[in-house]
Amino acid sequence: MAVITNNAPPRLRGRLAVWLLEVRAGVYIGVYSAKTRAMIRDQIETLIEDGDAVIAWSAPTDAGFDFETFGRNRREPVDFDGLKLVAFKPLP
């Protein structure tokens, strides 16, 4: 599992550092069960505030992984005939 954050508040960064290894500023990695990943995902969703984040994990899909985005990022996941791709939201 990988979590990449931008402009994350210190409280979220601290929570992520408890469970994951921060290998670069804002980049966290670790290997956990689906239940623990869901708990980490909920923490990101609750605490992201004005920042943005993406969480990616190994999954039995054609791509071999799945991901979810949070916050004010212009990128958002879209399903294209069973394949998850990334679409860009228009600029405000």
Side-chain angles (χ1 to χ4, degrees):
M1 170 177 42
V3 176
I4 297 91
T5 63
N6 289 306
N7 301 318
R11 183 174 179 194
L12 175 58
R13 294 184 70 188
R15 292 276 178 98
L16 292 173
V18 167
W19 293 97
L20 304 166
L21 180 63
E22 187 173 15
V23 294
R24 289 190 82 114
V27 179
Y28 303 85
I29 59 172
V31 178
Y32 287 101
S33 68
K35 184 176 180 178
T36 304
R37 182 181 69 242
M39 181 274 304
I40 292 169
R41 180 227 172 270
D42 291 344
Q43 293 289 309
I44 295 167
E45 184 176 42
T46 302
L47 300 173
I48 194 63
E49 294 178 8
D50 291 331
D52 61 78
V54 61
I55 181 171
W57 62 92
S58 177
T61 64
D62 287 341
F65 64 91
D66 201 358
F67 67 96
E68 191 172 356
T69 62
F70 305 90
R72 305 177 85 178
N73 195 320
R74 286 188 54 217
R75 294 171 178 89
E76 62 183 12
V78 293
D79 184 277
F80 184 75
D81 199 26
L83 183 63
K84 194 178 266 189
L85 301 175
V86 178
F88 285 84
K89 296 180 199 173
L91 288 172

